Amino acid sequence: MQSSPQGHDGIEIRPVYGPGDAAADLPERLGEPGSFPYTRGVHPSMYTSKPWTMRQYAGFATAAESNRRYRDLLAAGTTGLSVAFDLPTQMGYDSDAPEAAGEVGKVGVAVDSLADMRVLFGGIPLDEVSTSMTINAPAAVLLLLYQLVAEEQGVDPAALRGTVQNDILKEYIARGTYIFPPAPSLRLVADTFAYCAAELPQWNTISISGYHMAEAGATPAQELAFTLADGIEYVNCAIAAGLDVDAVAPRLSFFFVARSRLLTEVAKFRAARRLWAHIMRDRFGAQDPRSMKLRFHTQTAGVELTAQQPEVNLARVTVQALAAVLGGTQSLHTNAYDEAIALPTDASARLALRTQQVIAGETDLTETVDPFAGSYAVEALTDAVEAEAERLIDAVFAHGSVVAAIEAGFQKSEIERSAYETAKRIDSGEQTVVGVNAYTLNGDEAPYQPLKVDPAIEAAQVQRLAAHRAGRDAAALDTALAAVKAAAAGTDNVLYPLKAALAAGATVGEVCTALADEWGRYIPTDNW
């Protein structure tokens, strides 16, 4: 019998495993559910008492359109919102900026100001939902807008629950939606940590993301290693800013992909928990058990969806969701089957949610904790992923820091090499992709009508922005923006003057420009 090709995900899977493949100290490596090193899960009961949070990533066109989608998802049983912002918002540009032309509302919702955020969450009680926002470079800005809307609703900020992605390091590695250079970007992250500790104690201040590295081509071990290395850098940054590790670490969360190679993905999630527990205890001396618990959100693999025979994506998403659940995720987003073609329709988004509900309500997976514990195959794979991830973490810090490794192009080149190898295997047929290089229909597929964003939306959004600007107190706005610049030039926490400026009507683009005036905008080096 042949082993699976190691190049498929960098980890060899053998045809048969036995007792000799399990570590001699397996009981210590496993621990009990809810106990160090958390291999079996971060809670003693896991899903037996409460299922994972079911999120659906949504946001498109205008705030009003997205608000309607959120209401539909909540009515359908979603237990947490996950906001997608358009590219101009992600890059800190207003909808009327030249750089935003043609992109307003395309891959997410356009949010230019407090006025848009009011509409986005209108009629949604923010003390009753958990909200995740996929935003990075201007994460602090969007979080403050959310807080302002909650306060207008009469909600105590201490009651707000959710996560802001706020993971700028992975933007330099895999996505590119950065604004400022690494040093001030990390300062903004640390300021957000401190602000939330004081003002939003239930808020997860960062979602350290391997998902986008995986979408760029990273193997499971690369995704895990580079994500945890970023986590180490953020903790270092917080400590350097004078924060106590046990004050910061319990509010850190992570974000991983769930691919179709179920066994390897389950092993990855279990290895992630064990690695992080040891990193926090042994590297940072954390004392609070909550600091050692790696809590994570999972999204099924968008990169594995196909435009060919899109209905087959229903099977892929189901397998990927099973991998996340069997791996012990705390929350899950299941992609809609049509997302390789366009933004999901109402019906496809609802069907994606129903996939999670079937797993939670109609299977027996919520009746026992970590059902794969002790499996010869899964335990051996967990050890293998862990060992390879440790090797790669050491390789990152051999450069001195994560930022130094980024500037040397290390993580990016490693991921690009893996992506190239995957593309070669698919092109040659060595790696099967149903509907693409196997079991094709030769152009006989049924036509599909994707959701389309009305191009008139951009003009309407620009008009709303102009009306918003016309109604502001110009003197108060100038004073507020000057305070943002002064804080950025000094050492004060910039979130407090940012909040005041946003409350005075400043736009996302205006406050990001005020910061950039002091910090500069980042231009990548030739290593990229």
Side-chain angles (χ1 to χ4, degrees):
M1 291 184 290
Q2 296 292 316
S3 300
S4 68
Q6 184 163 339
H8 274 209
D9 49 31
I11 301 295
E12 179 187 30
I13 299 181
R14 301 196 301 277
V16 177
Y17 290 86
D21 296 303
D25 59 344
L26 182 60
E28 290 76 17
R29 294 177 70 76
L30 283 176
E32 294 297 324
S35 298
F36 189 90
Y38 307 103
T39 311
R40 301 199 63 193
V42 294
H43 303 300
S45 60
M46 287 303 289
Y47 311 137
T48 63
S49 58
K50 181 183 178 182
W52 59 93
T53 300
M54 298 181 192
R55 298 188 186 277
Q56 287 305 112
Y57 186 49
F60 67 102
T62 64
E65 284 291 305
S66 293
N67 177 265
R68 181 185 64 79
R69 175 66 64 87
Y70 296 157
R71 289 168 175 267
D72 289 346
L73 287 170
L74 289 169
T78 294
T79 54
L81 298 175
S82 186
V83 183
F85 296 98
D86 70 359
L87 281 175
T89 305
Q90 293 181 49
M91 298 289 289
Y93 292 116
D94 290 331
S95 294
D96 59 356
E99 295 87 349
E103 293 293 341
V104 175
K106 287 292 179 65
V107 299
V109 61
V111 173
D112 291 319
S113 69
L114 181 57
D116 289 327
M117 194 65 97
R118 286 192 192 107
V119 175
L120 186 62
F121 290 102
I124 298 173
L126 297 186
D127 55 345
E128 297 179 13
V129 299
S130 170
T131 302
S132 173
M133 292 188 280
T134 302
I135 193 76
N136 294 283
V141 178
L142 275 300
L143 173 59
L144 293 169
L145 289 174
Y146 186 86
Q147 181 186 353
L148 286 166
V149 170
E151 289 174 349
E152 289 179 351
Q153 291 184 1
V155 175
D156 183 348
L160 293 178
R161 296 175 297 110
T163 303
V164 65
Q165 191 162 97
N166 198 26
D167 178 9
I168 194 60
L169 291 174
K170 69 98 172 45
E171 295 299 324
Y172 301 116
I173 295 170
R175 286 191 77 235
T177 62
Y178 41 74
I179 301 174
F180 317 113
S185 292
L186 287 172
R187 174 195 165 179
L188 187 55
V189 170
D191 281 358
T192 304
F193 289 171
Y195 179 87
C196 289
E199 309 292 340
L200 303 169
Q202 292 196 76
W203 196 268
N204 296 318
T205 51
I206 193 167
S207 177
I208 307 164
S209 176
Y211 181 89
H212 301 96
M213 299 185 209
E215 293 284 279
T219 66
Q222 288 172 339
E223 176 196 2
L224 178 53
F226 298 153
T227 303
L228 296 192
D230 286 355
I232 292 169
E233 190 85 344
Y234 290 127
V235 175
N236 283 332
C237 180
I239 292 172
L243 301 174
D244 180 76
V245 64
D246 284 318
V248 172
R251 303 317 308 170
L252 304 181
S253 65
F254 291 81
F255 176 25
F256 295 113
V257 77
R259 302 174 183 83
S260 297
R261 289 178 63 78
L262 187 147
L263 296 179
T264 305
E265 292 298 288
V266 170
K268 178 188 75 180
F269 297 133
R270 299 169 86 250
R273 282 191 293 271
R274 191 158 68 206
L275 270 170
W276 188 246
H278 281 285
I279 287 168
M280 293 310 299
R281 187 191 70 177
D282 303 339
R283 188 178 189 125
F284 290 107
Q287 300 295 314
D288 189 336
R290 296 176 303 160
S291 299
M292 306 173 206
K293 294 181 179 181
L294 182 143
R295 298 166 301 112
F296 66 96
H297 169 71
T298 312
Q299 182 175 339
T300 56
V303 74
E304 292 188 344
L305 301 179
T306 65
Q308 301 91 330
Q309 301 181 46
E311 66 279 2
V312 177
N313 292 326
L314 290 167
R316 293 187 178 99
V317 169
T318 301
V319 172
Q320 293 161 4
L322 286 170
V325 171
L326 289 166
T329 192
Q330 277 60 71
S331 73
L332 175 61
H333 162 70
T334 36
N335 289 322
Y337 75 91
D338 51 357
E339 286 189 56
I341 302 170
L343 291 169
T345 63
D346 287 348
S348 66
R350 184 170 55 250
L351 184 56
L353 174 61
R354 294 288 184 255
T355 302
Q356 295 196 53
Q357 292 168 333
V358 167
I359 293 172
E362 298 187 20
T363 76
D364 54 9
L365 294 182
T366 60
E367 295 172 18
T368 189
V369 177
D370 189 24
F372 276 151
S375 159
Y376 301 137
V378 170
E379 298 299 355
L381 288 171
T382 300
D383 290 348
V385 174
E386 181 181 22
E388 176 62 8
E390 284 183 312
R391 184 190 70 80
L392 287 167
I393 290 172
D394 290 343
V396 168
F397 285 101
H399 291 81
S401 69
V402 170
V403 172
I406 287 170
E407 292 178 340
F410 174 69
Q411 299 98 317
K412 194 168 188 290
S413 64
E414 289 288 303
I415 292 170
E416 288 175 346
R417 181 165 55 252
S418 297
Y420 175 64
E421 293 299 326
T422 298
K424 285 200 304 181
R425 288 193 305 274
I426 293 172
D427 288 346
S428 69
E430 178 187 353
Q431 183 170 331
T432 298
V433 181
V434 173
V436 175
N437 63 6
Y439 314 109
T440 59
L441 294 179
N442 299 318
D444 296 329
E445 298 180 42
Y448 172 78
Q449 294 298 322
L451 177 71
K452 294 183 179 180
V453 176
D454 186 346
I457 283 173
E458 182 170 328
Q461 179 67 15
V462 169
Q463 288 179 351
R464 279 190 294 274
L465 178 56
H468 169 76
R469 286 200 175 109
R472 302 181 301 185
D473 181 330
L477 178 65
D478 289 344
T479 299
L481 289 174
V484 170
K485 290 185 179 183
T491 59
D492 290 346
N493 190 311
V494 296
L495 270 73
Y496 291 96
L498 277 174
K499 184 185 178 190
L502 294 167
T507 66
V508 172
E510 287 166 347
V511 295
C512 288
T513 296
L515 293 173
D517 286 346
E518 301 299 326
W519 293 343
R521 292 186 180 270
Y522 190 64
I523 300 174
T525 67
D526 291 339
N527 288 324
W528 296 38

